[in-house]
Amino acid sequence: MSILDWARQVRLLHPNEWEVVLTPANLTTTVEALCANPRNHFTDMFGVEMGGERQLRLLFALDSEHGWLHLVVPVTGDSPHYTSLVEVCPATLWYEREVAEECGIIPSGHPGPLHLRLPDDWPEGVYPHGGGFSWQDKIPAVAPHPVELASAPDGIVDYPLGPVRSGVVESGHYLLRTAGEELVDMRLQLFYKHRGIEKRAEGCSLLHLPLIAERISGTSAFAHSLALCEAVERAAGIEAPPRARYLRTLFAELERLYNHHGYQADLCQATGLVVGQAQFDVLKERLLRLNARLAGHRYLFGLNVPGGLSRDLTDTERQVIDEELRFQRRTFTVLEELLFRSNSHIDRLERTGTLPPELALAWGAVGPVGRAAGVDRDLRRDHPYAAYAELDFAVPLETDGDALARARLRLEEVRQSFRLIDQILGSLPSSAVRVPPEACMVRPGVSALGWVESPRGEGVHWLSFGEQRQARRYRVRTGSFANWQTFPAAVPGHNILTDFPVIEQSFGLSFAGADR
Amino acid sequence: MELGWLLRGWRTGIVTTPYPTRPDPPPQGFRGRPQLDGERCRIDDGCTVCVEVCLPRALRLETVPNGLDRRLVLDLLPCIMCGLCVQACPTGALHMQSDGELAVRSPQDAQTIVPLEMEVSSDGHI
């Protein structure tokens, strides 16, 4: 039996984007059937309220041929329930908590139905994405009701870390449980940087939406604004001009490069290899300055606009990139060799923070973290966007799942980015870089998906428009959100307390990106 | 410790700059921050396109503390330096200043104010 047998309605929304409407009673069977096929990947789950009707929505990535599948489950009543999907699809664990607190759709039988993203003093019964709540509404003040964790058993010591720490580290709180030197368990408290970005986007016009997407995570600003612009373009039924598609690919790879250099620098810092840290930071800084020259902004803000890019690349700038790339390649080769000759560094990474491949797959690890644990997924190859379908590159894969695999994988990805940029500079089409704004017009009530392989993994944006062509609901699933859920699985077992900074840096996750 | 790192560090030399002792201008093409030229601003003629296009309300119309007069304020503290106002301004009163110097000593120093001149009729009514 296929899903089509129990679907109430099947629609092709856009090329490669399907929608199936289900009843809550059929949801579990459908998800179970989808998860049984290893080519399908659970991607997102969120709640929507439209015109007084609430919907539970799930998103699955299918194979390259079929694209994406939305499961839409209309729910009714004051306190709608559905059977928790955690047993059939463990990766839904955090998502179900988020849907419950933000839309009031309750998963029956959820193993830990606590608040996820909202602060301790958020009043009960106020749903950011339900009950007609607006971002301009005042939230009534209530006494904080924090969750008290059971204290550690005898012989186990709780070691709290964060949310304020030394250096330029984002805010996150860890409760590390140690038995002597060994890390036996970890609790994670994120979402200190929750800004309600998706809510703020509601009511915004096409002019302002990219500004909001860029602020999800500064170091993935280009990736997120690209995913948003692709969603808008799909909703409007247009495509960016060829030159814009190539340039978007170029900037996406420049963003990946500086992020991956920053990643190696942070990892060197965690293992105490300060010269290595400085060297990778030099490479990163040179790329940030290059970005400022090409885009007017070190982190590529303000470049993506619906229908293309806000500025073009001159021939002189093309030469500047070419020269910088030659320097980067030369230096990177030397640094990579030095890294592998530094036992003090490599020994700290080997068999540290292992994310077992079966857990990585079950918990929905994406991006470099997933690929380092055998999850062979890369949206650039599997669901190509921008100009990736026309370019030649390899997707590296590792199966060890430890910190060394994650570091090695990113080193290889840097080499692939060099390859991609070379090809783009050599085959840049000549055309406009933007369709006229009047041609980029969405139909009222339309919705569409945009996706991107950001430096930290799959970013998937879903955007629905209202009658005035303004954003009605914006949903963002970042790579960091998916990977934070897998992070605690890598901590217990053969790791000691001083391994923790190495494990943390080796995941290379963004707090802001997960918190939104 | 791998000796190669030592050599690499020595070869790289000093890459940080002595800013602010010596200027360190941002790269050519840097977007910078908006600057408002009151002389060219047509707020008196009822033009408010910059206010309408500003997402963080860094450009806003305010009532002066005397409760009567109004003024246009460009406040760099909430400004996200997207440059949409500069693109929208029909008279060129707004332009991007790309020297990269953003620090101010007080919140007031981050504000540019253009007073709105009211036409007052002979009987004193606006």
Side-chain angles (χ1 to χ4, degrees):
Chain A
M1 239 181 25
S2 82
I3 300 154
L4 302 179
D5 295 327
W6 59 80
R8 281 163 50 186
Q9 199 187 334
V10 183
R11 282 200 301 159
L12 180 65
L13 301 174
H14 304 284
N16 289 336
E17 200 179 330
W18 299 84
E19 185 185 84
V20 170
V21 181
L22 295 167
T23 61
N26 287 330
L27 182 61
T28 311
T29 338
T30 310
V31 171
E32 202 170 5
L34 283 167
C35 290
N37 183 344
R39 282 186 306 178
N40 301 333
H41 292 265
F42 166 77
T43 304
D44 198 6
M45 180 173 185
F46 55 97
V48 177
E49 187 180 61
M50 284 197 204
E53 189 202 65
R54 267 187 265 186
Q55 292 175 346
L56 179 67
R57 297 183 70 105
L58 281 91
L59 178 68
F60 279 83
L62 309 177
D63 53 18
S64 305
E65 196 189 329
H66 294 96
W68 304 87
L69 175 69
H70 296 273
L71 301 183
V72 181
V73 187
V75 291
T76 49
D78 282 344
S79 175
H81 283 67
Y82 63 98
T83 311
S84 168
L85 300 166
V86 174
E87 260 183 44
V88 290
C89 180
T92 57
L93 188 79
W94 278 16
Y95 298 82
E96 289 193 348
R97 288 167 61 186
E98 205 178 300
V99 173
E101 69 180 352
E102 299 199 342
C103 309
I105 309 174
I106 311 297
S108 311
H110 190 283
L114 300 167
H115 270 304
L116 184 77
R117 242 187 350 165
L118 296 178
D120 289 341
D121 57 356
W122 188 270
E124 287 295 327
V126 178
Y127 303 114
H129 292 291
F133 184 81
S134 153
W135 62 267
Q136 282 150 316
D137 286 351
K138 286 264 181 288
I139 303 153
V142 296
H145 39 274
V147 178
E148 297 291 342
L149 294 176
S151 52
D154 277 351
I156 304 281
V157 176
D158 277 344
Y159 183 94
L161 182 64
V164 180
R165 291 187 282 161
S166 61
V168 193
V169 189
E170 293 183 88
S171 321
H173 176 72
Y174 306 101
L175 190 73
L176 303 170
R177 293 216 144 149
T178 54
E181 275 286 288
E182 201 186 327
L183 278 167
V184 289
D185 197 7
M186 193 202 76
R187 305 288 165 94
L188 187 61
Q189 175 60 61
L190 299 177
F191 309 109
Y192 290 95
K193 293 185 96 171
H194 176 45
R195 292 144 288 159
I197 284 192
E198 292 142 315
K199 192 70 197 172
R200 179 63 185 84
E202 289 177 11
C204 281
S205 67
L206 295 187
L207 187 67
H208 288 146
L209 282 171
L211 301 183
I212 290 180
E214 280 159 3
R215 281 157 180 84
I216 292 166
S217 166
T219 48
S220 302
F222 191 81
H224 287 303
S225 58
L226 177 54
L228 174 105
C229 289
E230 298 248 344
V232 172
E233 287 154 19
R234 282 166 73 80
I238 58 163
E239 201 177 52
R243 191 176 174 86
R245 289 193 293 111
Y246 271 73
L247 287 178
R248 279 176 168 180
T249 316
L250 169 76
F251 286 115
E253 291 310 312
L254 284 174
E255 186 174 72
R256 193 178 321 280
L257 276 182
Y258 86 70
N259 268 290
H260 281 12
H261 290 336
Y263 170 88
Q264 300 295 347
D266 290 349
L267 203 55
C268 287
Q269 185 191 28
T271 64
L273 189 62
V274 284
V275 192
Q277 180 197 355
Q279 290 291 327
F280 276 104
D281 272 337
V282 170
L283 286 188
K284 176 183 169 184
E285 176 61 25
R286 290 180 65 110
L287 285 173
L288 292 178
R289 288 179 181 219
L290 179 69
N291 285 348
R293 173 155 190 195
L294 304 175
H297 194 286
R298 285 161 61 84
Y299 291 89
L300 304 170
F301 282 50
L303 201 50
N304 268 315
V305 287
L309 292 170
S310 63
R311 58 160 94 182
D312 197 357
L313 192 76
T314 63
D315 281 340
T316 324
E317 286 167 344
R318 196 156 122 177
Q319 278 166 14
V320 173
I321 304 176
D322 198 41
E323 276 164 34
E324 178 59 30
L325 216 64
R326 257 180 277 163
F327 173 86
Q328 291 268 339
R329 246 195 178 122
R330 216 171 39 235
T331 315
F332 178 78
T333 314
V334 176
L335 297 187
E336 190 187 19
E337 201 194 319
L338 282 170
L339 273 187
F340 283 107
R341 289 208 324 244
S342 305
N343 295 340
S344 65
H345 182 69
I346 300 297
D347 287 354
R348 295 288 305 275
L349 307 182
E350 213 171 359
R351 289 192 292 281
T352 301
T354 304
L355 181 66
E358 62 280 7
L359 285 185
L361 193 66
W363 287 97
V366 296
V369 172
R371 287 192 288 276
V375 183
D376 191 8
R377 290 269 302 158
D378 190 317
L379 294 186
R380 295 176 294 169
R381 179 199 62 194
D382 300 333
H383 302 277
Y385 55 94
Y388 286 108
E390 293 138 66
L391 300 166
D392 185 28
F393 64 102
V395 176
L397 191 71
E398 299 269 345
T399 48
D400 291 344
D402 60 352
L404 183 60
R406 290 189 282 275
R408 245 188 345 231
L409 185 106
R410 278 175 162 102
L411 289 169
E412 184 52 39
E413 286 196 355
V414 165
R415 253 193 305 275
Q416 296 299 330
S417 292
F418 288 150
R419 238 179 105 186
L420 278 163
I421 295 173
D422 266 350
Q423 291 174 55
I424 296 164
L425 293 180
S427 58
L428 200 55
S430 29
S431 74
V433 290
R434 185 179 184 176
V435 298
E438 56 275 14
C440 190
M441 192 70 93
V442 295
R443 275 179 291 117
V446 75
S447 66
L449 198 66
W451 59 90
V452 73
E453 186 70 32
S454 85
R456 296 187 175 79
E458 299 172 10
V460 183
H461 294 222
W462 184 77
L463 195 55
S464 159
F465 289 94
E467 296 306 314
Q468 310 297 317
R469 298 192 170 91
Q470 83 288 14
R472 177 165 58 175
R473 174 78 162 97
Y474 183 32
R475 163 71 189 179
V476 181
R477 204 299 312 269
T478 61
S480 289
F481 183 82
N483 285 338
W484 270 119
Q485 196 178 227
T486 68
F487 179 73
V491 173
H494 304 294
N495 296 308
I496 57 169
L497 185 62
T498 45
D499 284 334
F500 187 75
V502 176
I503 305 175
E504 190 191 9
Q505 297 298 2
S506 76
F507 268 73
L509 303 177
S510 155
F511 289 79
D515 299 358
R516 289 156 286 142
Chain B
M1 163 95 183
E2 167 62 48
L3 278 178
W5 286 116
L6 214 63
L7 202 64
R8 180 78 221 162
W10 177 66
R11 275 201 191 136
T12 307
I14 296 168
V15 291
T16 49
T17 68
Y19 179 85
T21 325
R22 255 177 277 161
D24 185 8
Q28 179 196 351
F30 180 67
R31 196 178 310 130
R33 66 187 156 95
Q35 214 168 28
L36 175 58
D37 175 3
E39 294 291 306
R40 298 173 77 173
C41 180
R42 292 280 72 87
I43 186 87
D44 286 338
D45 301 339
C47 170
T48 54
V49 283
C50 60
V51 176
E52 285 149 30
V53 88
C54 182
L55 183 68
R57 295 177 194 162
L59 274 154
R60 54 183 185 259
L61 280 168
E62 275 184 0
T63 305
V64 182
N66 70 15
L68 285 175
D69 301 329
R70 304 194 77 202
R71 61 190 187 186
L72 173 69
V73 180
L74 165 62
D75 188 349
L76 288 179
L77 297 188
C79 179
I80 56 173
M81 301 175 200
C82 62
L84 287 182
C85 55
V86 175
Q87 288 167 28
C89 180
T91 64
L94 280 156
H95 70 275
M96 293 307 263
Q97 166 78 357
S98 53
D99 62 4
E101 299 291 344
L102 296 168
V104 287
R105 287 193 182 276
S106 76
Q108 285 76 32
D109 292 348
Q111 290 190 345
T112 311
I113 293 169
V114 181
L116 194 56
E117 283 173 19
M118 299 289 177
E119 277 186 30
V120 182
S121 65
S122 53
D123 58 1
H125 287 95
I126 293 169

